[in-house]
Structures are given as C-alpha cells and as structure tokens.
Amino acid sequence: MKSIQEILTFSEEETNALKQNWIKCLNDPIFNHLVAKLSLPDEILMKYTSSLEDAAAELEHCRHCSNLEMCKNKLQGYLYTPLERGNGLTFQYQACPYQEKKLHDNAYKNNILLFEIPKMIKEASFRKVEKDDKNRLEVIKYFKEFLDHYEDEEKPRGIYLYGSFGTGKSYLIAALFNELAKRDVHSAMIYVPEFLRILKSSFDHDFEEKYEYIKKVPLLLLDDIGAENLTAWARDEIIGTLLQYRMDEKLPTFFTSNLDLKQLEEHFSTTNSGVDKLKARRIIERIRFLTKDFCLTSRNRRQ
C-alpha cells in the first residue's frame, strides 16, 4: 500500500500549477479563513486545493443561510469540512446548527418501533388533532390523565379504541406515544394482521427476538386487531400469551379495531381448528383487564 507521501507526489510542473492556483484561492477571504484554522504547512494543504474550494463554497452558503429549507449545500443540513489526519487532510460532512437542532428535536422518534405502520404516524401530535367529535375529546381527556399518571407506581390502563374505518384511531394513540417518547419511554405500534404473518414465517429465524421485544416493551399498540386471519396458534400461543404477560406485568397495552368487544369475542371464538368460545372469552377478559374501551365513530378522515 502506498504512503500518503507517495500518493501526493507531483511533478515540478504540477507543483508550480498547484502553487499558482493556491495563491489565487488564498485571495478569497472564505477560503483563507478556512485554511487558517489548519496547522499543516502550505506545501501539504495546496495538494487539497480543489476539495478545500468545495468546503469554502459550502461555508459561504452557510453564512447566508437562516434555515434548513434555504440550504444550498450538496447534502442538506451538512457542511463539507476538512479535518487534519496525520500528515494530510480528510473531509467529512458535519451537521450544521439547524440540522443538529432537527436531529435533537426528532431523536425521540427512535423510541418508537413501527411494524407495518405508516412512518408518517411518527409525526402524530395532539396539536394537529381535529377536536370536532365528542368521543374524540373524551379520548384526549383520558390521554391527558394517562400522561399525568404514567410515572405513578401503578401505571394507568391502556384503551381499546374501536369504531368505523378511517376515524383516526391509530393517529390518536400515536400522538400519545410520541409525547411519552419525548420522556424516553419506548413503545411499539404493531399492525396485527401482518405481524402475525411475519412472525409465523420467521419461526425458524428471529421469532423469539421479535416476540420477546413486543411482549416486554413498555407501551404497546396492537393495531386493527380482529382483522387478522385467525388461527388457533395466533390466538392461543401468540395473542393470548402476549396479553397474559402484559397483564401480569401491568404493562399499558392499547388496541384499535373496527369491532366492539362483543364482536371481537365472536371473531376469536372461531379458527381453522373449530369453535372455542371459552378461549375467546379468556382473550376478551385480558383485554378488559388491560384497557378502558372507547367508541370513536365519525367521518372517514382518509378520504
């Protein structure tokens, strides 16, 4: 492997051209300001003239920028920056103050695991919720109580939120989870039909890891429960065991569904193995223990 000295060796003609270009570039105050902060001698720095010009151009952009939307740099929110490394330079993209603030403000989103849930749901906020429905206000009022008492030794119960399609059930719960994520509380939002399908297909791979995380996460949303193609395995081994653990550990658990609890019990009573009303009732009893139920019926907000 060649040393940096070998890589950066130029002919006399090339060196003279470099010197002329270097002197020309030093007449630019931004370029001059940039290289003045570097301790390497000019004989080394001039070999990076082209890259330093790019860095100076981006630095000039930053001087006239007041927000991320104005950014003219190659990588929005980042500044191409020279760093001394041994007897040479290396160049890295470093976040500007506006980008650092954005990263800091959005760091809480890393506390939320989404499984087959639209990523835009991470932007959910109570400030954006339309408060034109009485039932919606009741849910929001309960969520305020939930936030106020989440740090209590005995955690508040989650909710079973059911109603017609497209009424914003998942969005409301996501807004709550986002607020708690800002307190560094971890949560998971799981689209139940797809989760069960993926879980079964990963049985010989990372099944245990996925299931254990969902089982033990501090906050859990089981989204659209009742819409899955139900099997006895899914009901008894996955959903039933999951709910039993969270009930024993008093972990707040949330549900959304198009079915009320009576309809959900009917759904859980029949699988491809036959009818078992007792096991269905046990699932519903666990949901009732874990939640307060609210009905949300209004116009379809997805249209």
Side-chain angles (χ1 to χ4, degrees):
M1 181 179 292
K2 292 183 178 181
S3 67
I4 189 168
Q5 287 82 6
E6 292 174 311
I7 294 171
L8 296 179
T9 297
F10 296 88
S11 67
E12 183 177 350
E13 183 180 347
E14 289 172 328
T15 301
N16 289 333
L18 275 173
K19 286 181 179 179
Q20 291 176 14
N21 191 39
W22 175 255
I23 293 170
K24 178 183 176 182
C25 289
L26 287 175
N27 290 326
D28 175 44
I30 302 299
F31 185 94
N32 202 317
H33 173 74
L34 182 66
V35 299
K37 295 198 247 182
L38 303 170
S39 62
L40 293 172
D42 287 1
E43 302 85 66
I44 295 293
L45 293 177
M46 70 174 63
K47 297 173 183 179
Y48 298 91
T49 302
S50 179
S51 294
L52 287 167
E53 283 184 287
D54 292 339
E58 294 211 343
L59 185 60
E60 174 69 10
H61 294 159
C62 290
R63 291 183 63 197
H64 303 287
C65 183
S66 59
N67 56 62
L68 279 177
E69 288 67 34
M70 287 183 63
C71 182
K72 295 180 180 179
N73 288 348
K74 185 176 181 180
L75 189 60
Q76 187 184 59
Y78 292 85
L79 175 63
Y80 192 56
T81 306
L83 299 172
E84 296 184 35
R85 190 68 54 86
N87 293 325
L89 293 180
T90 186
F91 290 80
Q92 295 181 3
Y93 283 98
Q94 296 186 339
C96 73
Y98 301 117
Q99 181 69 4
E100 286 182 346
K101 183 179 185 304
K102 180 181 179 181
L103 292 172
H104 177 269
D105 291 347
N106 289 295
Y108 73 91
K109 295 177 183 178
N110 295 325
N111 292 330
I112 306 172
L113 170 68
L114 301 182
F115 192 93
E116 296 300 319
I117 302 284
K119 290 183 179 179
M120 63 180 294
I121 208 75
K122 284 193 176 183
E123 305 300 327
S125 168
F126 289 125
R127 295 192 304 273
K128 301 177 183 177
V129 171
E130 296 179 23
K131 301 175 179 64
D132 57 351
D133 183 282
K134 180 181 177 182
N135 291 334
R136 185 178 291 263
L137 291 176
E138 291 177 359
V139 174
I140 294 172
K141 180 181 177 182
Y142 180 72
F143 282 170
K144 184 180 183 306
E145 295 175 7
F146 190 97
L147 288 167
D148 290 342
H149 295 283
Y150 181 76
E151 302 299 333
D152 294 354
E153 184 175 351
E154 184 172 345
K155 299 283 189 288
R157 286 191 290 169
I159 70 168
Y160 181 84
L161 187 58
Y162 68 95
S164 50
F165 178 82
T167 53
K169 299 183 292 294
S170 304
Y171 187 95
L172 281 170
I173 295 173
L176 173 68
F177 282 18
N178 284 340
E179 287 299 315
L180 285 162
K182 294 172 184 176
R183 302 185 191 177
D184 205 29
V185 178
H186 288 246
S187 61
M189 302 180 66
I190 306 300
Y191 179 61
V192 174
E194 187 64 11
F195 177 68
L196 290 174
R197 187 188 71 78
I198 296 295
L199 203 60
K200 189 171 184 179
S201 68
S202 66
F203 198 79
D204 296 328
H205 305 289
D206 55 352
F207 169 89
E208 194 69 25
E209 181 182 351
K210 290 177 180 176
Y211 187 62
E212 284 299 305
Y213 183 84
I214 298 307
K215 190 169 75 172
K216 297 177 180 179
V217 69
L219 291 173
L220 175 65
L221 166 63
L222 295 174
D223 189 48
D224 211 7
I225 193 168
E228 66 281 346
N229 292 319
L230 193 66
T231 64
W233 172 81
R235 180 191 63 197
D236 304 332
E237 302 299 325
I238 302 302
I239 297 176
T241 304
L242 172 70
L243 298 185
Q244 184 65 47
Y245 180 88
R246 297 188 68 81
M247 188 173 72
D248 293 342
E249 298 299 320
K250 297 181 173 59
L251 295 171
T253 309
F254 295 73
F255 304 81
T256 67
S257 182
N258 293 330
L259 309 176
D260 62 27
L261 285 172
K262 183 178 180 181
Q263 293 169 325
L264 187 68
E265 184 173 345
E266 293 175 2
H267 168 73
F268 278 125
S269 67
T270 305
T271 70
N272 53 1
S273 300
V275 176
D276 194 325
K277 293 187 176 180
L278 179 59
K279 289 183 177 178
R281 193 171 304 122
R282 286 175 179 167
I283 295 287
I284 300 304
E285 286 174 357
R286 290 166 185 164
I287 293 176
R288 289 189 186 280
F289 180 89
L290 286 163
T291 66
K292 295 183 67 172
D293 63 295
F294 291 85
C295 177
L296 188 62
T297 55
S298 64
R299 63 179 175 84
N300 187 339
R301 295 168 191 271
R302 298 179 185 174
Q303 294 179 346

